[in-house]
Amino acid sequence: MSARTPYTIKGETGDWELVMGLEVHAQVASNAKLFSGASTAFGSDPNCNVSLVDAAMPGMLPVINKFCVEQAIRTGLGLKAQINTWSRFDRKNYFYPDLPQGYQISQFAHPIVGEGEIEVDVEPAHGGDAYSFTCRIERLHLEQDAGKSIHDMDPNSTYVDLNRSGVALMEIVSKPDVRTPAEAAAYVKKLRAIVIALGTCDGDMDKGNLRADVNVSVCRPGQYEKFRETGDFSHLGTRCELKNMNSFRFIQQAIEYEARRQIEILEDGGVVDQETRLFDPVKVETRSMRSKEDAHDYRYFPDPDLLPLEFEQAWVDEIRESLPELPDEKRARFETDYGLSRYDAGVLSADAEKADFFEEVAKGRDPKLAANWVTQELFGYLNKQDMELSDSPVSAASLGGLIELISNDTISGKIAKDVFVRMIEGEGEAADIVEKHGLKQVTDTGAIEKVVDEIIAANPEQVAQVKEKPKTMGWFVGQVMKASGGKANPKAVNDILKAKLGL
Protein backbone atom coordinates (compact mmCIF):
# COMPACT_ATOMS: atom_id res chain seq x y z
CA MET A 1 0.00 0.00 0.00
CA SER A 2 1.27 3.45 -0.91
CA ALA A 3 0.89 6.63 1.15
CA ARG A 4 -2.28 8.71 1.08
CA THR A 5 -1.81 11.55 -1.39
CA PRO A 6 -3.66 14.89 -1.38
CA TYR A 7 -6.74 15.07 -3.60
CA THR A 8 -7.44 18.49 -5.05
CA ILE A 9 -10.07 19.90 -7.36
CA LYS A 10 -8.93 22.69 -9.67
CA GLY A 11 -11.14 25.76 -9.69
CA GLU A 12 -10.95 29.04 -11.57
CA THR A 13 -9.21 30.72 -8.62
CA GLY A 14 -7.01 27.86 -7.43
CA ASP A 15 -7.11 24.44 -5.85
CA TRP A 16 -9.75 23.17 -3.43
CA GLU A 17 -9.91 20.15 -1.15
CA LEU A 18 -12.80 18.00 0.02
CA VAL A 19 -13.72 17.25 3.63
CA MET A 20 -16.46 14.77 4.48
CA GLY A 21 -18.04 13.09 7.44
CA LEU A 22 -20.60 10.32 7.01
CA GLU A 23 -23.63 9.17 8.95
CA VAL A 24 -24.43 5.58 8.05
CA HIS A 25 -27.81 4.16 9.05
CA ALA A 26 -27.69 0.38 9.42
CA GLN A 27 -30.92 -1.49 10.14
CA VAL A 28 -30.40 -3.85 13.04
CA ALA A 29 -30.77 -7.50 12.08
CA SER A 30 -33.63 -8.35 14.41
CA ASN A 31 -37.01 -10.05 13.96
CA ALA A 32 -38.73 -7.45 16.15
CA LYS A 33 -38.63 -3.67 16.30
CA LEU A 34 -36.69 -1.54 18.78
CA PHE A 35 -39.57 -0.76 21.16
CA SER A 36 -42.28 -3.25 20.17
CA GLY A 37 -42.72 -6.88 19.20
CA ALA A 38 -43.94 -6.07 15.68
CA SER A 39 -42.26 -7.89 12.79
CA THR A 40 -39.49 -6.31 10.72
CA ALA A 41 -40.13 -8.55 7.68
CA PHE A 42 -39.48 -6.80 4.37
CA GLY A 43 -42.07 -6.78 1.59
CA SER A 44 -45.20 -7.22 3.71
CA ASP A 45 -48.43 -5.53 2.68
CA PRO A 46 -48.61 -1.89 3.84
CA ASN A 47 -49.33 -1.35 7.52
CA CYS A 48 -49.34 -5.06 8.40
CA ASN A 49 -46.34 -4.96 10.75
CA VAL A 50 -47.56 -2.15 13.00
CA SER A 51 -48.17 -2.45 16.73
CA LEU A 52 -50.09 0.08 18.80
CA VAL A 53 -46.73 1.45 19.97
CA ASP A 54 -45.53 1.94 16.38
CA ALA A 55 -48.77 3.72 15.50
CA ALA A 56 -48.38 6.00 18.58
CA MET A 57 -51.77 5.14 20.04
CA PRO A 58 -52.45 7.05 23.28
CA GLY A 59 -51.15 5.38 26.41
CA MET A 60 -48.81 2.97 24.60
CA LEU A 61 -45.34 2.77 26.16
CA PRO A 62 -42.11 1.63 24.47
CA VAL A 63 -40.23 -1.39 25.82
CA ILE A 64 -36.58 -1.79 24.81
CA ASN A 65 -35.61 -4.82 22.72
CA LYS A 66 -32.60 -6.38 24.49
CA PHE A 67 -31.42 -8.15 21.35
CA CYS A 68 -31.17 -4.82 19.48
CA VAL A 69 -29.02 -3.49 22.31
CA GLU A 70 -26.78 -6.55 22.05
CA GLN A 71 -26.45 -6.01 18.30
CA ALA A 72 -25.39 -2.38 18.86
CA ILE A 73 -22.75 -3.51 21.37
CA ARG A 74 -21.43 -6.13 18.92
CA THR A 75 -21.14 -3.48 16.23
CA GLY A 76 -19.36 -1.10 18.59
CA LEU A 77 -16.85 -3.81 19.46
CA GLY A 78 -16.32 -4.44 15.74
CA LEU A 79 -15.52 -0.74 15.34
CA LYS A 80 -12.94 -0.93 18.17
CA ALA A 81 -15.06 1.64 19.96
CA GLN A 82 -15.83 2.54 23.57
CA ILE A 83 -18.94 0.77 24.87
CA ASN A 84 -20.89 2.92 27.30
CA THR A 85 -22.54 0.81 30.00
CA TRP A 86 -24.81 3.78 30.78
CA SER A 87 -26.68 5.53 27.98
CA ARG A 88 -29.96 7.33 27.54
CA PHE A 89 -32.75 7.69 25.01
CA ASP A 90 -33.96 11.12 23.94
CA ARG A 91 -36.86 12.50 21.97
CA LYS A 92 -35.87 14.18 18.71
CA ASN A 93 -38.80 16.41 17.82
CA TYR A 94 -39.80 17.08 14.23
CA PHE A 95 -42.89 16.61 12.08
CA TYR A 96 -43.26 14.21 9.17
CA PRO A 97 -46.52 12.62 8.01
CA ASP A 98 -44.88 9.18 8.41
CA LEU A 99 -43.70 9.88 11.98
CA PRO A 100 -46.90 9.23 13.98
CA GLN A 101 -45.47 10.19 17.39
CA GLY A 102 -44.35 13.61 16.21
CA TYR A 103 -40.89 12.75 17.52
CA GLN A 104 -38.23 10.08 17.02
CA ILE A 105 -36.78 8.12 19.94
CA SER A 106 -33.02 8.40 19.48
CA GLN A 107 -29.87 9.00 21.54
CA PHE A 108 -28.27 12.43 21.65
CA ALA A 109 -25.92 13.33 24.49
CA HIS A 110 -25.29 9.81 25.80
CA PRO A 111 -25.01 7.19 23.01
CA ILE A 112 -24.51 3.49 23.63
CA VAL A 113 -21.20 3.49 21.69
CA GLY A 114 -18.52 6.17 21.85
CA GLU A 115 -15.36 6.83 19.86
CA GLY A 116 -13.69 4.15 17.75
CA GLU A 117 -11.88 3.77 14.45
CA ILE A 118 -11.64 1.61 11.35
CA GLU A 119 -8.90 1.15 8.79
CA VAL A 120 -10.12 1.65 5.23
CA ASP A 121 -8.40 0.29 2.11
CA VAL A 122 -8.90 2.43 -0.98
CA GLU A 123 -8.59 0.91 -4.43
CA PRO A 124 -6.59 2.78 -7.10
CA ALA A 125 -8.45 5.92 -8.20
CA HIS A 126 -7.76 9.35 -9.67
CA GLY A 127 -4.56 8.04 -11.24
CA GLY A 128 -3.04 6.99 -7.90
CA ASP A 129 -2.14 3.73 -6.20
CA ALA A 130 -4.04 1.71 -3.62
CA TYR A 131 -3.62 2.98 -0.05
CA SER A 132 -5.25 2.83 3.37
CA PHE A 133 -6.33 5.44 5.90
CA THR A 134 -7.81 5.46 9.38
CA CYS A 135 -11.28 6.92 9.80
CA ARG A 136 -12.27 7.87 13.33
CA ILE A 137 -15.74 6.96 14.54
CA GLU A 138 -17.43 9.61 16.65
CA ARG A 139 -20.35 7.54 17.96
CA LEU A 140 -22.93 4.87 17.31
CA HIS A 141 -26.40 5.39 18.66
CA LEU A 142 -29.65 3.46 18.52
CA GLU A 143 -32.81 5.02 17.16
CA GLN A 144 -36.15 4.04 15.65
CA ASP A 145 -36.87 4.43 11.95
CA ALA A 146 -39.78 6.45 10.58
CA GLY A 147 -42.45 5.11 8.25
CA LYS A 148 -42.61 5.67 4.51
CA SER A 149 -44.59 8.22 2.51
CA ILE A 150 -45.77 6.97 -0.89
CA HIS A 151 -46.44 9.66 -3.49
CA ASP A 152 -46.98 7.71 -6.70
CA MET A 153 -50.17 5.75 -5.97
CA ASP A 154 -52.50 8.69 -6.45
CA PRO A 155 -51.93 12.05 -8.18
CA ASN A 156 -53.81 13.91 -5.45
CA SER A 157 -52.88 12.00 -2.29
CA THR A 158 -49.93 10.74 -0.29
CA TYR A 159 -50.20 7.35 1.37
CA VAL A 160 -48.35 6.36 4.52
CA ASP A 161 -46.94 2.89 5.24
CA LEU A 162 -45.86 2.42 8.87
CA ASN A 163 -44.26 -1.03 8.47
CA ARG A 164 -40.79 0.52 8.96
CA SER A 165 -41.94 2.73 11.83
CA GLY A 166 -40.07 1.67 14.94
CA VAL A 167 -37.53 -0.56 13.17
CA ALA A 168 -34.20 -0.40 15.01
CA LEU A 169 -31.41 1.58 13.35
CA MET A 170 -27.78 2.01 14.29
CA GLU A 171 -26.55 5.43 13.22
CA ILE A 172 -22.76 5.29 12.85
CA VAL A 173 -21.25 8.79 12.73
CA SER A 174 -17.71 9.35 11.49
CA LYS A 175 -15.35 12.22 12.15
CA PRO A 176 -14.65 14.44 9.10
CA ASP A 177 -11.71 12.25 8.03
CA VAL A 178 -12.87 11.31 4.53
CA ARG A 179 -11.17 13.31 1.78
CA THR A 180 -12.11 11.88 -1.65
CA PRO A 181 -15.17 10.37 -3.39
CA ALA A 182 -13.34 7.02 -3.59
CA GLU A 183 -12.59 7.13 0.14
CA ALA A 184 -16.27 7.76 0.93
CA ALA A 185 -17.35 4.71 -1.07
CA ALA A 186 -14.55 2.60 0.44
CA TYR A 187 -15.54 3.69 3.97
CA VAL A 188 -19.15 2.62 3.46
CA LYS A 189 -17.97 -0.67 1.90
CA LYS A 190 -15.79 -1.34 4.93
CA LEU A 191 -18.60 -0.57 7.39
CA ARG A 192 -20.92 -2.81 5.39
CA ALA A 193 -18.37 -5.64 5.47
CA ILE A 194 -18.01 -5.29 9.24
CA VAL A 195 -21.74 -5.35 10.08
CA ILE A 196 -22.35 -8.27 7.70
CA ALA A 197 -19.49 -10.24 9.27
CA LEU A 198 -20.88 -9.47 12.73
CA GLY A 199 -24.42 -10.42 11.70
CA THR A 200 -25.76 -7.12 13.06
CA CYS A 201 -27.11 -5.84 9.71
CA ASP A 202 -27.65 -7.64 6.41
CA GLY A 203 -26.18 -4.67 4.49
CA ASP A 204 -28.86 -4.82 1.78
CA MET A 205 -28.59 -1.35 0.27
CA ASP A 206 -31.30 -2.00 -2.33
CA LYS A 207 -33.85 -2.45 0.45
CA GLY A 208 -32.54 0.59 2.33
CA ASN A 209 -31.20 -1.54 5.17
CA LEU A 210 -27.89 0.29 4.93
CA ARG A 211 -27.76 3.86 3.65
CA ALA A 212 -25.44 6.81 4.07
CA ASP A 213 -25.81 10.54 4.59
CA VAL A 214 -22.68 12.29 3.32
CA ASN A 215 -21.77 15.73 4.70
CA VAL A 216 -19.73 17.47 2.01
CA SER A 217 -17.72 20.67 2.33
CA VAL A 218 -14.81 22.23 0.43
CA CYS A 219 -11.88 24.26 1.67
CA ARG A 220 -8.53 25.59 0.50
CA PRO A 221 -5.43 23.38 0.84
CA GLY A 222 -4.01 23.49 4.37
CA GLN A 223 -7.28 24.37 6.10
CA TYR A 224 -8.07 20.77 7.03
CA GLU A 225 -4.69 20.44 8.77
CA LYS A 226 -5.51 23.57 10.81
CA PHE A 227 -8.84 22.02 11.77
CA ARG A 228 -7.10 18.82 12.93
CA GLU A 229 -4.67 20.87 15.01
CA THR A 230 -7.27 23.11 16.65
CA GLY A 231 -10.59 21.27 16.35
CA ASP A 232 -12.04 24.56 15.07
CA PHE A 233 -14.65 23.84 12.39
CA SER A 234 -14.41 27.42 11.09
CA HIS A 235 -11.40 26.28 9.05
CA LEU A 236 -13.72 24.07 7.03
CA GLY A 237 -16.39 25.15 4.58
CA THR A 238 -20.15 25.04 5.15
CA ARG A 239 -21.35 21.48 4.78
CA CYS A 240 -24.27 20.15 2.80
CA GLU A 241 -25.78 16.79 3.57
CA LEU A 242 -26.43 14.33 0.74
CA LYS A 243 -29.30 12.25 2.08
CA ASN A 244 -30.05 8.52 1.87
CA MET A 245 -27.31 7.33 -0.49
CA ASN A 246 -27.66 3.58 -1.12
CA SER A 247 -25.15 2.93 -3.93
CA PHE A 248 -21.35 3.13 -3.89
CA ARG A 249 -21.32 4.52 -7.43
CA PHE A 250 -23.98 7.12 -6.64
CA ILE A 251 -22.08 8.17 -3.52
CA GLN A 252 -19.03 9.01 -5.64
CA GLN A 253 -21.03 10.72 -8.38
CA ALA A 254 -23.02 12.81 -5.90
CA ILE A 255 -19.89 13.96 -4.04
CA GLU A 256 -18.11 14.96 -7.25
CA TYR A 257 -21.10 16.99 -8.43
CA GLU A 258 -21.73 18.58 -5.03
CA ALA A 259 -18.09 19.57 -4.54
CA ARG A 260 -17.96 21.35 -7.90
CA ARG A 261 -21.32 23.02 -7.22
CA GLN A 262 -20.01 24.46 -3.96
CA ILE A 263 -16.72 25.55 -5.55
CA GLU A 264 -18.57 27.43 -8.31
CA ILE A 265 -20.71 29.24 -5.72
CA LEU A 266 -17.69 30.26 -3.63
CA GLU A 267 -15.62 31.36 -6.61
CA ASP A 268 -18.51 33.53 -7.81
CA GLY A 269 -18.49 35.28 -4.43
CA GLY A 270 -21.55 33.49 -3.11
CA VAL A 271 -22.25 31.64 0.14
CA VAL A 272 -22.96 27.93 0.45
CA ASP A 273 -26.22 27.35 2.34
CA GLN A 274 -26.22 24.61 4.95
CA GLU A 275 -28.92 22.29 3.67
CA THR A 276 -29.95 18.72 2.99
CA ARG A 277 -29.81 17.69 -0.66
CA LEU A 278 -30.97 14.70 -2.68
CA PHE A 279 -29.07 13.08 -5.55
CA ASP A 280 -30.75 12.52 -8.91
CA PRO A 281 -28.94 9.55 -10.52
CA VAL A 282 -30.59 10.18 -13.88
CA LYS A 283 -29.45 13.80 -14.20
CA VAL A 284 -26.34 13.06 -12.07
CA GLU A 285 -26.88 16.16 -9.94
CA THR A 286 -27.95 17.12 -6.43
CA ARG A 287 -30.98 19.24 -5.62
CA SER A 288 -32.16 21.00 -2.49
CA MET A 289 -34.46 19.06 -0.17
CA ARG A 290 -34.68 21.27 2.92
CA SER A 291 -32.57 23.58 5.05
CA LYS A 292 -30.24 21.61 7.32
CA GLU A 293 -31.34 21.56 10.94
CA ASP A 294 -28.94 21.96 13.85
CA ALA A 295 -29.23 19.94 17.05
CA HIS A 296 -31.09 22.71 18.88
CA ASP A 297 -33.80 22.74 16.19
CA TYR A 298 -34.86 19.25 17.23
CA ARG A 299 -35.46 20.27 20.89
CA TYR A 300 -33.92 17.09 22.28
CA PHE A 301 -34.89 16.06 25.80
CA PRO A 302 -34.68 12.74 27.73
CA ASP A 303 -37.52 10.41 26.86
CA PRO A 304 -39.70 10.25 29.99
CA ASP A 305 -41.09 6.84 29.03
CA LEU A 306 -37.70 5.09 29.07
CA LEU A 307 -35.27 4.63 31.93
CA PRO A 308 -31.55 5.07 31.20
CA LEU A 309 -30.02 1.99 29.60
CA GLU A 310 -27.60 0.27 32.01
CA PHE A 311 -25.79 -3.07 31.76
CA GLU A 312 -22.76 -4.80 33.27
CA GLN A 313 -19.28 -4.81 31.70
CA ALA A 314 -19.36 -8.60 32.07
CA TRP A 315 -22.10 -8.75 29.43
CA VAL A 316 -19.94 -6.69 27.06
CA ASP A 317 -17.02 -9.04 27.66
CA GLU A 318 -19.23 -12.04 26.97
CA ILE A 319 -20.35 -10.51 23.65
CA ARG A 320 -16.73 -9.72 22.77
CA GLU A 321 -15.79 -13.39 23.21
CA SER A 322 -18.47 -14.40 20.69
CA LEU A 323 -17.29 -12.10 17.89
CA PRO A 324 -16.48 -13.81 14.58
CA GLU A 325 -13.37 -13.22 12.49
CA LEU A 326 -13.66 -9.64 11.19
CA PRO A 327 -12.44 -8.38 7.79
CA ASP A 328 -9.16 -6.92 9.12
CA GLU A 329 -8.33 -10.15 10.94
CA LYS A 330 -9.24 -12.20 7.87
CA ARG A 331 -7.06 -10.00 5.65
CA ALA A 332 -4.09 -10.45 7.98
CA ARG A 333 -4.64 -14.23 7.98
CA PHE A 334 -4.80 -14.31 4.18
CA GLU A 335 -1.49 -12.43 4.03
CA THR A 336 0.17 -14.79 6.54
CA ASP A 337 -1.35 -18.16 5.64
CA TYR A 338 -1.64 -17.74 1.88
CA GLY A 339 1.24 -15.35 1.19
CA LEU A 340 -1.05 -12.85 -0.58
CA SER A 341 -0.28 -9.17 -1.06
CA ARG A 342 -2.13 -6.76 1.21
CA TYR A 343 -4.17 -5.53 -1.74
CA ASP A 344 -5.28 -9.00 -2.90
CA ALA A 345 -5.94 -10.08 0.69
CA GLY A 346 -8.02 -6.93 1.20
CA VAL A 347 -10.11 -7.55 -1.93
CA LEU A 348 -10.76 -11.18 -1.00
CA SER A 349 -11.58 -10.49 2.65
CA ALA A 350 -13.84 -7.54 1.87
CA ASP A 351 -16.94 -9.62 2.51
CA ALA A 352 -17.68 -13.08 3.83
CA GLU A 353 -19.00 -14.44 0.52
CA LYS A 354 -15.82 -13.53 -1.41
CA ALA A 355 -13.61 -14.84 1.38
CA ASP A 356 -15.41 -18.17 1.62
CA PHE A 357 -15.36 -18.57 -2.17
CA PHE A 358 -11.60 -17.92 -2.34
CA GLU A 359 -10.81 -20.30 0.51
CA GLU A 360 -12.73 -23.10 -1.21
CA VAL A 361 -10.88 -22.43 -4.48
CA ALA A 362 -7.50 -22.29 -2.71
CA LYS A 363 -8.00 -25.36 -0.51
CA GLY A 364 -5.08 -27.72 -1.22
CA ARG A 365 -4.00 -25.64 -4.22
CA ASP A 366 -1.58 -22.82 -5.08
CA PRO A 367 -3.12 -19.89 -3.14
CA LYS A 368 -1.51 -17.14 -5.21
CA LEU A 369 -2.68 -18.73 -8.44
CA ALA A 370 -6.13 -19.14 -6.89
CA ALA A 371 -6.18 -15.48 -5.84
CA ASN A 372 -5.21 -14.31 -9.33
CA TRP A 373 -7.94 -16.36 -10.98
CA VAL A 374 -10.60 -15.27 -8.49
CA THR A 375 -9.77 -11.56 -8.46
CA GLN A 376 -8.79 -11.07 -12.09
CA GLU A 377 -10.54 -13.61 -14.29
CA LEU A 378 -13.70 -14.38 -12.31
CA PHE A 379 -14.33 -10.98 -10.69
CA GLY A 380 -13.38 -9.29 -13.97
CA TYR A 381 -16.02 -11.28 -15.81
CA LEU A 382 -18.67 -10.68 -13.12
CA ASN A 383 -17.99 -6.93 -13.10
CA LYS A 384 -18.35 -6.69 -16.88
CA GLN A 385 -21.63 -8.56 -16.70
CA ASP A 386 -22.79 -6.56 -13.63
CA MET A 387 -23.32 -9.83 -11.78
CA GLU A 388 -22.98 -10.76 -8.12
CA LEU A 389 -20.70 -13.56 -6.96
CA SER A 390 -23.77 -15.55 -5.94
CA ASP A 391 -24.80 -15.56 -9.63
CA SER A 392 -21.43 -16.83 -10.89
CA PRO A 393 -21.80 -19.49 -13.60
CA VAL A 394 -18.55 -21.08 -12.34
CA SER A 395 -18.57 -22.50 -8.82
CA ALA A 396 -15.61 -22.41 -6.44
CA ALA A 397 -15.13 -26.17 -6.82
CA SER A 398 -15.14 -25.90 -10.61
CA LEU A 399 -12.64 -23.02 -10.62
CA GLY A 400 -10.45 -25.02 -8.25
CA GLY A 401 -10.52 -27.90 -10.73
CA LEU A 402 -9.28 -25.58 -13.49
CA ILE A 403 -6.43 -24.35 -11.29
CA GLU A 404 -5.37 -27.93 -10.59
CA LEU A 405 -5.00 -28.51 -14.33
CA ILE A 406 -2.70 -25.47 -14.57
CA SER A 407 -0.64 -26.51 -11.54
CA ASN A 408 -0.02 -30.05 -12.76
CA ASP A 409 0.91 -28.81 -16.27
CA THR A 410 -2.08 -30.48 -17.93
CA ILE A 411 -2.84 -27.12 -19.57
CA SER A 412 -1.04 -23.80 -19.86
CA GLY A 413 -2.31 -20.53 -18.45
CA LYS A 414 -3.24 -19.40 -21.95
CA ILE A 415 -5.26 -22.54 -22.68
CA ALA A 416 -6.86 -22.19 -19.24
CA LYS A 417 -8.40 -18.87 -20.28
CA ASP A 418 -10.06 -20.57 -23.25
CA VAL A 419 -11.28 -23.36 -20.98
CA PHE A 420 -12.63 -20.77 -18.52
CA VAL A 421 -14.70 -19.14 -21.28
CA ARG A 422 -16.13 -22.54 -22.18
CA MET A 423 -16.97 -23.15 -18.51
CA ILE A 424 -18.83 -19.85 -18.37
CA GLU A 425 -20.76 -20.87 -21.49
CA GLY A 426 -21.91 -23.99 -19.67
CA GLU A 427 -19.78 -26.70 -21.31
CA GLY A 428 -19.09 -28.36 -17.97
CA GLU A 429 -16.08 -29.04 -15.79
CA ALA A 430 -12.56 -28.02 -16.84
CA ALA A 431 -11.21 -31.58 -17.08
CA ASP A 432 -14.11 -32.65 -19.33
CA ILE A 433 -13.62 -29.64 -21.60
CA VAL A 434 -9.89 -30.29 -21.93
CA GLU A 435 -10.51 -33.94 -22.79
CA LYS A 436 -13.33 -33.21 -25.22
CA HIS A 437 -11.42 -30.59 -27.22
CA GLY A 438 -7.96 -32.17 -26.99
CA LEU A 439 -6.46 -29.22 -25.15
CA LYS A 440 -3.87 -31.05 -23.06
CA GLN A 441 -0.51 -29.36 -22.98
CA VAL A 442 2.35 -30.98 -24.92
CA THR A 443 5.09 -31.77 -22.41
CA ASP A 444 6.93 -34.33 -24.56
CA THR A 445 10.30 -32.61 -25.00
CA GLY A 446 11.07 -34.79 -28.01
CA ALA A 447 8.01 -33.56 -29.87
CA ILE A 448 8.76 -29.95 -28.91
CA GLU A 449 12.40 -30.32 -30.02
CA LYS A 450 11.25 -31.52 -33.43
CA VAL A 451 9.10 -28.40 -33.90
CA VAL A 452 11.93 -26.15 -32.68
CA ASP A 453 14.45 -27.75 -35.08
CA GLU A 454 12.10 -27.26 -38.04
CA ILE A 455 11.53 -23.56 -37.22
CA ILE A 456 15.25 -22.88 -36.66
CA ALA A 457 16.17 -24.58 -39.95
CA ALA A 458 13.58 -22.56 -41.86
CA ASN A 459 14.63 -19.18 -40.44
CA PRO A 460 18.45 -18.72 -40.58
CA GLU A 461 18.18 -14.91 -40.68
CA GLN A 462 16.17 -14.87 -37.45
CA VAL A 463 18.74 -17.20 -35.88
CA ALA A 464 21.55 -14.77 -36.70
CA GLN A 465 19.51 -11.87 -35.35
CA VAL A 466 18.65 -13.55 -32.06
CA LYS A 467 22.33 -14.22 -31.35
CA GLU A 468 22.94 -10.45 -31.55
CA LYS A 469 19.72 -9.50 -29.77
CA PRO A 470 18.65 -12.30 -27.37
CA LYS A 471 15.43 -10.51 -26.52
CA THR A 472 14.11 -11.32 -30.00
CA MET A 473 13.84 -14.97 -28.97
CA GLY A 474 10.20 -14.20 -28.28
CA TRP A 475 9.58 -14.48 -32.00
CA PHE A 476 10.72 -18.12 -31.93
CA VAL A 477 8.56 -18.81 -28.87
CA GLY A 478 5.55 -17.46 -30.72
CA GLN A 479 6.26 -19.56 -33.78
CA VAL A 480 6.62 -22.76 -31.74
CA MET A 481 3.40 -22.06 -29.84
CA LYS A 482 1.60 -21.35 -33.11
CA ALA A 483 2.90 -24.54 -34.69
CA SER A 484 1.76 -26.58 -31.67
CA GLY A 485 -1.67 -24.99 -31.58
CA GLY A 486 -0.79 -23.30 -28.29
CA LYS A 487 -0.40 -26.65 -26.55
CA ALA A 488 3.37 -26.75 -26.08
CA ASN A 489 4.57 -26.25 -22.51
CA PRO A 490 5.88 -22.64 -22.49
CA LYS A 491 8.70 -23.40 -20.02
CA ALA A 492 9.89 -26.40 -22.05
CA VAL A 493 9.75 -24.28 -25.23
CA ASN A 494 11.90 -21.55 -23.65
CA ASP A 495 14.44 -24.03 -22.23
CA ILE A 496 14.82 -25.92 -25.54
CA LEU A 497 15.12 -22.72 -27.60
CA LYS A 498 17.82 -21.31 -25.30
CA ALA A 499 19.80 -24.54 -25.62
CA LYS A 500 19.40 -24.80 -29.40
CA LEU A 501 20.21 -21.12 -30.02
CA GLY A 502 23.13 -21.08 -27.60
CA LEU A 503 21.66 -18.34 -25.39
Side-chain angles (χ1 to χ4, degrees):
M1 289 281 179
S2 63
R4 189 186 198 186
T5 55
Y7 171 77
T8 57
I9 301 172
K10 293 193 178 298
E12 294 293 330
T13 62
D15 289 344
W16 296 83
E17 291 184 349
L18 266 170
V19 181
M20 290 167 284
L22 285 84
E23 301 163 10
V24 174
H25 292 83
Q27 180 176 320
V28 175
S30 168
N31 292 329
K33 297 182 180 181
L34 184 56
F35 298 115
S36 81
S39 171
T40 60
F42 180 82
S44 301
D45 290 336
N47 298 307
C48 287
N49 302 332
V50 185
S51 73
L52 296 177
V53 173
D54 306 324
M57 291 293 103
M60 296 298 103
L61 297 177
V63 177
I64 189 72
N65 181 335
K66 181 180 178 182
F67 181 69
C68 291
V69 174
E70 180 180 341
Q71 293 285 65
I73 295 170
R74 286 173 66 82
T75 305
L77 292 171
L79 299 176
K80 302 181 180 67
Q82 171 65 41
I83 307 299
N84 299 319
T85 56
W86 189 97
S87 61
R88 189 182 71 198
F89 285 98
D90 302 279
R91 289 187 181 180
K92 181 180 181 181
N93 295 273
Y94 61 94
F95 172 78
Y96 275 152
D98 50 22
L99 189 69
Q101 295 160 309
Y103 59 84
Q104 178 188 37
I105 302 178
S106 182
Q107 293 185 308
F108 177 50
H110 301 282
I112 188 170
V113 176
E115 293 187 352
E117 64 179 35
I118 62 172
E119 188 173 4
V120 181
D121 290 339
V122 185
E123 295 183 9
H126 313 297
D129 298 322
Y131 64 92
S132 65
F133 74 100
T134 299
C135 187
R136 297 170 297 163
I137 303 297
E138 183 175 309
R139 57 188 281 146
L140 177 155
H141 61 262
L142 278 168
E143 63 184 22
Q144 58 179 177
D145 204 353
K148 181 181 180 181
S149 295
I150 304 169
H151 307 289
D152 58 0
M153 291 181 64
D154 188 301
N156 302 308
S157 303
T158 291
Y159 290 81
V160 175
D161 178 8
L162 295 180
N163 279 346
R164 289 189 69 94
S165 178
V167 167
L169 298 177
M170 298 178 289
E171 181 171 342
I172 304 165
V173 183
S174 82
K175 300 276 190 180
D177 291 345
V178 181
R179 308 299 309 282
T180 78
E183 287 184 5
Y187 168 78
V188 178
K189 283 182 183 178
K190 184 60 175 286
L191 271 187
R192 181 175 181 272
I194 291 172
V195 296
I196 290 175
L198 290 166
T200 57
C201 173
D202 67 12
D204 193 329
M205 299 178 76
D206 290 335
K207 293 178 182 177
N209 294 353
L210 189 137
R211 54 194 189 267
D213 300 339
V214 187
N215 292 293
V216 180
S217 66
V218 296
C219 63
R220 292 294 190 181
Q223 292 300 108
Y224 177 75
E225 286 68 25
K226 291 181 181 179
F227 156 71
R228 289 297 298 264
E229 291 173 5
T230 64
D232 184 353
F233 278 89
S234 67
H235 292 295
L236 306 180
T238 301
R239 73 186 190 278
C240 290
E241 180 185 53
L242 306 180
K243 193 73 175 173
N244 288 336
M245 306 297 297
N246 68 342
S247 157
F248 303 127
R249 181 163 60 91
F250 292 165
I251 285 172
Q252 295 188 72
Q253 290 178 337
I255 292 168
E256 288 170 357
Y257 176 88
E258 179 59 23
R260 295 188 183 280
R261 184 191 74 86
Q262 292 184 23
I263 288 170
E264 288 180 9
I265 292 173
L266 294 170
E267 292 192 325
D268 286 342
V271 176
V272 174
D273 293 325
Q274 182 173 321
E275 61 181 348
T276 297
R277 300 179 68 84
L278 295 176
F279 177 64
D280 185 334
V282 177
K283 295 182 178 179
V284 194
E285 63 182 26
T286 64
R287 65 173 186 269
S288 182
M289 177 184 176
R290 63 172 183 265
S291 60
K292 173 67 177 172
E293 299 91 345
D294 287 312
H296 63 265
D297 294 320
Y298 291 117
R299 305 187 312 282
Y300 283 98
F301 63 85
D303 192 303
D305 292 335
L306 288 161
L307 291 170
L309 182 61
E310 294 186 72
F311 46 81
E312 298 293 329
Q313 180 61 39
W315 188 38
V316 177
D317 296 337
E318 182 181 326
I319 295 171
R320 190 192 307 274
E321 290 299 315
S322 70
L323 295 184
E325 184 180 45
L326 294 174
D328 283 351
E329 297 162 356
K330 196 181 294 290
R331 185 202 68 220
R333 179 168 64 81
F334 281 9
E335 290 182 64
T336 302
D337 293 357
Y338 296 118
L340 302 184
S341 68
R342 179 188 171 94
Y343 178 75
D344 283 345
V347 170
L348 291 167
S349 63
D351 65 60
E353 186 180 19
K354 287 181 179 178
D356 292 345
F357 189 96
F358 162 71
E359 292 210 84
E360 185 175 346
V361 173
K363 189 174 183 180
R365 305 180 179 104
D366 182 337
K368 292 184 180 180
L369 186 60
N372 287 338
W373 272 87
V374 171
T375 59
Q376 296 177 24
E377 302 300 330
L378 180 63
F379 289 175
Y381 168 78
L382 295 176
N383 288 338
K384 285 181 183 177
Q385 301 299 318
D386 196 24
M387 294 170 64
E388 297 296 327
L389 182 57
S390 57
D391 300 321
S392 172
V394 179
S395 68
S398 295
L399 185 57
L402 176 63
I403 289 167
E404 284 181 7
L405 296 180
I406 302 170
S407 297
N408 63 24
D409 288 332
T410 299
I411 58 175
S412 66
K414 185 176 180 181
I415 293 174
K417 292 185 178 182
D418 177 48
V419 174
F420 181 66
V421 171
R422 294 176 183 274
M423 292 171 70
I424 288 172
E425 293 172 348
E427 287 195 29
E429 297 299 312
D432 297 333
I433 293 170
V434 169
E435 191 66 36
K436 177 182 177 182
H437 295 281
L439 298 174
K440 285 186 178 180
Q441 187 169 230
V442 177
T443 56
D444 181 353
T445 55
I448 296 173
E449 276 192 46
K450 183 179 178 183
V451 176
V452 169
D453 288 340
E454 290 172 356
I455 291 173
I456 287 176
N459 297 278
E461 292 181 3
Q462 291 289 341
V463 172
Q465 184 180 359
V466 80
K467 290 183 182 297
E468 294 179 9
K469 298 178 180 178
K471 289 184 178 179
T472 61
M473 191 186 81
W475 182 86
F476 282 97
V477 174
Q479 293 301 306
V480 175
M481 296 304 293
K482 183 178 179 181
S484 67
K487 298 177 186 177
N489 182 293
K491 184 178 184 304
V493 170
N494 276 274
D495 290 344
I496 292 170
L497 276 170
K498 285 179 182 178
K500 296 281 186 179
L501 295 170
L503 299 179

